[in-house]
Each structure stands twice: as C-alpha cells, then as structure tokens.
Amino acid sequence: HQLHTGLGLGLASMKSGERALLHVGWELGYGEEGSFSFPNVPPKADIVYEVELLGFDETEEGKARGDMTVEERIGAADRRKMDGNTLFKEEKLEEAMNQYEMAIAYMGDDFMFQLFGKYRDMALAVKNPCHLNMAACLIRLQRFNEAIGHCHRVSIWEEETLAIRLQLSRTLRLSDRYTYSRSDENNAKALFRRGKAKSELGQTEAAREDFLKARKHAPEDKAIARELPILAEQDKAVYQKQKEIYRGLFGLRPAPKPKRSNWTVLCWHSLACSSANKTTKLTRVSCFALLCA
C-alpha cells in the first residue's frame, strides 16, 4: 500500500539490510480518521512497525511500487525471481535470497488479498516459487526453521487457491484434473522441502508425515521415495543409541543366583524325622510285650 508519512520518514533514515522497530504516532500515521480498508487501523491509532530494509529497488518503469499496475508489479517481481535463480545457480545463496525477498515484497498480503481470478494465479506463479527457492537456500545454509516457515506459506496459499478452484470448477462443471494440476507440483515441493528441514532437526515423525503427503501429490518422484528409507535408518540409529544410553544408566541385568539351602532348618527336620521313627519303634515294641503277657 502507499507509504504514509511516518513510515516513509523512518525508512528514509535506514540503511540496506538494517532492521528496526518504528514507532509512528497517529499524526504521521493514518490520522484522525484511521483506515477501514486493508490494513484496518482505528482512528488516532499509534502504530509500531517491525521493519527490515532489504534494499533499494530501482525499477525499470521508474515508478513507486504503489503506483504500478498489477501487471507491472508482477512483472517486476518476476524479474527479481529470475535474477535470484541466476545467483542460486552460481551458489551465491545470500544474494539470491535477497532477490527472492524483494520479489516477495512486491506481493505482500495486502496486495494478494485484492487479487482474484487470473491475476491471483499470475501472482502466485511468481510468489510461491520464490518462497520455495528461499527454502532451498535456507536448507543449504542449515537455517531449517526459517525454511519450514517459507514452505508453510506456500502450503497455505495453495490450499486457499485449491479451495477457490474447487468451488469454481463445481460451479462451471470443470474437470477436477484442471483443478489439481497446478497445485500438486507446488504442494509436493513445499511438503518435500519442509520434510527435509524437519528431518535435519531430528523431527522424524513430522518429516515422515510431510514426505507421505508429498508422495500423494507426486507418486513417481524419486527424491521423495529416497527419503522414506533414510528416515527408517535414522529411527533405527536413534533406537540403538537410546538402548546404549539406558544400558549405561542401569547396567547389565545380573544373572540369577542359585538358591541357598537353610542348613539349620534341614538339620532340625532331619532330627525330627529321626525322633519320630524311634518313637514309632518303641510303641511297636511295647505293644508286642503286652500281647505276650
């Protein structure tokens, strides 16, 4: 959206790559009336912006971003994406990410929410690959949580777009194949790269879930098929490691000891039995003597 005075003044004082919190009073913000479009700002509201200045964009059209038409804005973003792809191939990952971020900045949420139909599709055809390429760079740089965030953004936009297309296709009685064809490729890439990042973080169950979902979108993708056995091996390694840890904590289970007999009891039992036998004999002898008499 068009920059208001306070935000513009704050950005003018920043350097490329700088991050800042800009506190803008309502007098230099949206004023006494506020804003009832996007973003929705109440009257006389002070605003705090969290800003990162990616760079200074010199457009070929010589126009500010807010003055561009939809086609011009998407075209400028696409040029940034292509520049980023060239830098990515040259292994200049940080510079490539800077270009992708600039491209994404052309298509912020406030811009996307105003687009419908073919313009929305045109914008997403540039925006989502930029997020996916950002994720690829971040995975290489081992910034896995940031990579997951970019993949998640793609999944959200694709799910929303798919819901719109499903509704449209049912209304116009179009084939479901048309509805799913575009979303499948982006969803598969987003799920696959998110799964890779989660796997590197040791989140094997979450990674497996993403890989299985990705396989539904691209059942013949060999890269996805290779990851599932790798996860199974990781699970085995984790299990063996845990087994060794517990063995070290509690030690080996001692072998059962043979039961020891209580010799005091055995001796007493023996004496008792011997005494009983003698009594029996004496009784028999006494009985025999009585009979003889």
Side-chain angles (χ1 to χ4, degrees):
H1 53 81
Q2 195 76 24
L3 292 181
H4 58 75
T5 307
L7 182 57
L9 289 171
L11 289 172
S13 66
M14 293 176 64
K15 297 177 182 178
S16 179
E18 186 179 357
R19 293 183 179 182
L21 284 176
L22 299 180
H23 297 257
V24 179
W26 67 267
E27 299 90 346
L28 296 177
Y30 287 88
E32 193 171 353
E33 295 181 356
S35 172
F36 294 98
S37 62
F38 189 90
N40 191 353
V41 180
K44 293 187 177 182
D46 297 334
I47 307 168
V48 178
Y49 288 96
E50 185 177 355
V51 180
E52 180 180 3
L53 186 59
L54 302 176
F56 298 95
D57 187 23
E58 298 293 336
T59 61
E60 292 180 5
E61 295 81 5
K63 293 180 180 178
R65 193 176 302 165
D67 295 332
M68 291 181 184
T69 64
V70 171
E71 291 90 344
E72 289 172 343
R73 200 158 169 172
I74 294 172
D78 192 48
R79 283 191 294 277
R80 290 289 183 184
K81 184 194 80 171
M82 297 304 293
D83 290 343
N85 291 348
T86 302
L87 291 165
F88 181 83
K89 289 174 184 177
E90 295 172 359
E91 298 291 327
K92 298 176 181 177
L93 301 182
E94 293 285 355
E95 294 177 41
M97 287 197 300
N98 188 47
Q99 293 300 317
Y100 294 138
E101 285 178 330
M102 294 289 280
I104 292 167
Y106 276 99
M107 294 170 292
D109 290 346
D110 57 334
F111 176 70
M112 294 299 298
F113 288 147
Q114 299 173 39
L115 301 182
F116 298 95
K118 70 171 186 177
Y119 290 115
R120 183 185 174 91
D121 288 345
M122 286 169 60
L124 285 175
V126 178
K127 180 181 175 69
N128 281 346
C130 286
H131 282 296
L132 291 171
N133 294 346
M134 279 288 294
C137 291
L138 290 163
I139 288 171
R140 286 198 183 189
L141 294 171
Q142 298 186 351
R143 291 158 60 179
F144 303 117
N145 284 314
E146 293 175 68
I148 289 170
H150 280 279
C151 295
H152 189 60
R153 296 276 295 178
V154 174
S155 295
I156 290 173
W157 282 110
E158 289 297 337
E159 285 172 9
E160 289 180 359
T161 304
L162 181 59
I164 292 169
R165 284 181 186 158
L166 278 170
Q167 187 175 2
L168 181 64
S169 67
R170 287 166 185 167
T171 303
L172 300 178
R173 296 181 181 179
L174 299 174
S175 169
D176 284 346
R177 185 177 297 176
Y178 164 80
T179 303
Y180 285 101
S181 59
R182 272 190 199 173
S183 294
D184 282 344
E185 184 180 356
N186 281 338
N187 267 326
K189 286 182 179 179
L191 290 164
F192 174 73
R193 289 176 189 173
R194 190 171 71 181
K196 283 284 288 181
K198 288 178 178 178
S199 176
E200 292 291 343
L201 291 171
Q203 301 171 8
T204 53
E205 286 302 320
R208 184 178 289 105
E209 185 179 347
D210 278 345
F211 288 141
L212 290 172
K213 286 179 181 177
R215 191 168 64 178
K216 288 181 181 178
H217 292 287
E220 296 181 3
D221 192 294
K222 293 180 181 179
I224 298 170
R226 282 196 298 268
E227 290 300 323
L228 290 167
I230 292 172
L231 279 183
E233 289 299 319
Q234 286 180 0
D235 284 341
K236 285 182 183 178
V238 169
Y239 173 74
Q240 289 297 330
K241 196 170 184 179
Q242 288 177 341
K243 196 174 178 181
E244 289 173 9
I245 290 170
Y246 288 126
R247 185 181 295 171
L249 286 174
F250 300 107
L252 294 172
R253 188 175 177 181
K257 294 180 180 179
K259 289 184 179 180
R260 291 176 126 188
S261 300
N262 192 325
W263 291 104
T264 305
V265 173
L266 287 175
C267 290
W268 179 87
H269 181 71
S270 178
L271 288 170
C273 290
S274 176
S275 175
N277 289 336
K278 287 180 181 179
T279 304
T280 304
K281 288 177 182 178
L282 287 171
T283 305
R284 286 177 181 172
V285 170
S286 300
C287 292
F288 179 73
L290 288 171
L291 289 170
C292 290

